[in-house]
Amino acid sequence: MTLAAATNENLAHISNVLVYSSMAVYTLAFFAHIAEWVFGSRSKVGRTAAALTGTAAAAPSVTVQVKKQGGGTAVLDKPKIVTRSAAGTRNVPDGPGAAGGTEKGDLYGRIAVSLTVLAFLVEAGGVLARALSVQRAPWGNMYEFSITFSTVAVGAYLGFLLARKNVRWMGLLLVTTVLLDLGIATTWLYTDSDQLVPALHSYWLWIHVSTAIFCGAVFYLGAVGTLLYLFRDSYENKLANGGNPSSFARSVLERLPAAASLDKFSYRINAAVFPLWTFTIIAGAIWAGDAWGRYWGWDPKEVWSFITWVAYACYLHARATAGWKGRKAATLALIAFGCWLFNYYGVNIFVTGKHSYAGV
């Protein structure tokens, strides 16, 4: 074995160790996020205040005079009553987040984020080591794509936190799915480091695949927001109609952002990344023209990439149409992300085409 081959083998081993180490740290972050939700459970006083601010009955502002010791009075304002702004719409404040506004919950939440940052850095090191071991972009097979995808998804989430966006509520679901992704990658999708077939030796690999990974990661964050929007919207509808949600639903769903906030978050993310997904498809067509002598050949991967594009285009059009806002448009968004998932897992594993040469 030459020195270069031995070095590459060592780097591949280091990559594996780092990926498994990141899974261990993500697991710790998972438990910290659970602790944040548990210890951030709202107290009875907090629930009473939430019920006051969430009532649908309008009431004027009321002041209460309280006698102070030593004479004089202090004026206290009654908690603000939030009313339905119009028929079919709600003016509901955002929940306090997973920490529930409690000091202990917030402490565990900060620990969870810190562990997520550490796991992200360790996993990113694993991706880099994998790239160095093969001296190419680490996106030549499903294993490499998976570990890069989860890294980018966590990086996007941390980027929102760094920009001081209110997204910590998605931390538990994100870490859970990242662990699932890495578990599948290391258990069923793992492939030894190897060189690519000649068709993939192109600078388009860096352009086309990197944008596909980034789009998928951001689409995933949008899908999380959309899914939670559906749950929160049902919860708000039940309260508005005089229903009595379970104590578990109250404890969890009342701490999420309002349905309107989740809807806006998901829509903006999907709308922002859609042009980049359009570019991804165009870049893939140009690469196909260079590699295979045709820009479009009805290959399964090409077809499902286009189906995903059409699904997201339908969602964005529906979201911009008054009659399709809300739950109908959100369902379309989840169908669109389902198309993206099938394009990745289903087409690569179960369907044979020109994109099958890289194996799993």
Side-chain angles (χ1 to χ4, degrees), residues 286-341:
I286 296 174
W287 188 12
D290 291 343
W292 301 320
R294 92 294 186 275
Y295 295 103
W296 184 267
W298 296 102
D299 182 74
K301 179 69 71 173
E302 297 170 347
V303 171
W304 274 96
S305 294
F306 181 68
I307 290 174
T308 302
W309 184 91
V310 171
Y312 272 107
C314 289
Y315 159 71
L316 293 175
H317 176 71
R319 181 59 177 75
T321 304
W324 275 80
K325 286 183 180 179
R327 298 183 66 85
K328 291 181 179 179
T331 302
L332 276 179
L334 291 181
I335 292 174
F337 184 68
C339 291
W340 189 91
L341 282 180

Side-chain angles (χ1 to χ4, degrees), residues 14-309:
I14 292 173
S15 172
N16 295 339
V17 171
L18 289 175
V19 169
Y20 278 105
S21 299
S22 71
M23 292 176 67
V25 182
Y26 278 128
T27 302
L28 295 177
F30 169 80
F31 286 114
H33 273 299
I34 288 182
E36 176 186 19
W37 281 96
V38 170
F39 289 104
S41 182
R42 305 288 297 282
S43 66
K44 183 177 180 180
V45 174
R47 292 182 190 280
T48 303
L52 285 174
T53 58
T55 183
S61 177
V62 178
T63 59
V64 180
Q65 291 187 345
V66 181
K67 290 185 177 181
K68 297 172 61 178
Q69 187 175 4
T73 60
V75 179
L76 300 178
D77 290 329
K78 185 177 180 179
K80 181 182 178 181
I81 302 301
V82 179
T83 63
R84 295 173 65 100
S85 57
T89 62
R90 291 185 298 270
N91 186 9
V92 179
D94 290 336
T102 65
E103 184 176 350
K104 196 168 188 179
D106 183 66
L107 172 63
Y108 280 105
R110 293 178 182 276
I111 292 173
V113 171
S114 299
L115 289 170
T116 303
V117 171
L118 177 60
F120 165 75
L121 294 175
V122 174
E123 186 183 8
V127 173
L128 179 60
R130 178 80 175 195
L132 294 175
S133 70
V134 290
Q135 299 180 357
R136 58 166 172 79
W139 312 315
N141 50 61
M142 288 185 68
Y143 169 75
E144 295 174 353
F145 191 102
S146 294
I147 61 175
T148 305
F149 169 80
S150 57
T151 304
V152 174
V154 175
Y157 163 73
L158 295 176
F160 279 115
L161 288 179
L162 191 63
R164 299 186 181 279
K165 301 297 182 181
N166 177 25
V167 295
R168 204 167 82 184
W169 43 266
M170 99 166 39
L172 177 59
L173 190 55
L174 172 73
V175 170
T176 302
T177 49
V178 165
L179 282 171
L180 179 62
D181 173 74
L182 291 178
I184 294 174
T186 55
T187 304
W188 291 300
L189 303 180
Y190 181 77
T191 304
D192 290 330
S193 299
D194 200 359
Q195 293 303 314
L196 300 175
V197 296
L200 291 181
H201 283 287
S202 170
Y203 59 88
W204 284 107
L205 175 67
W206 292 91
I207 300 173
H208 171 65
V209 183
S210 64
T211 54
I213 292 173
F214 179 79
C215 288
V218 178
F219 279 147
Y220 163 75
L221 297 183
V224 171
T226 301
L227 181 64
L228 294 178
Y229 157 76
L230 291 174
F231 283 107
R232 172 77 188 203
D233 185 63
S234 295
Y235 173 76
E236 291 180 7
N237 278 334
K238 193 167 187 176
L239 289 179
N241 293 325
N244 185 27
S246 66
S247 58
F248 176 80
R250 287 183 178 275
S251 176
V252 174
L253 295 178
E254 73 181 5
R255 285 185 273 168
L256 292 175
S261 298
L262 291 169
D263 183 43
K264 185 183 299 183
F265 170 80
S266 303
Y267 172 66
R268 287 180 174 177
I269 280 187
N270 289 327
V273 81
F274 179 74
L276 190 59
W277 181 249
T278 304
F279 170 78
T280 301
I281 296 176
I282 295 173
I286 296 174
W287 188 12
D290 291 343
W292 301 320
R294 92 294 186 275
Y295 295 103
W296 184 267
W298 296 102
D299 182 74
K301 179 69 71 173
E302 297 170 347
V303 171
W304 274 96
S305 294
F306 181 68
I307 290 174
T308 302
W309 184 91

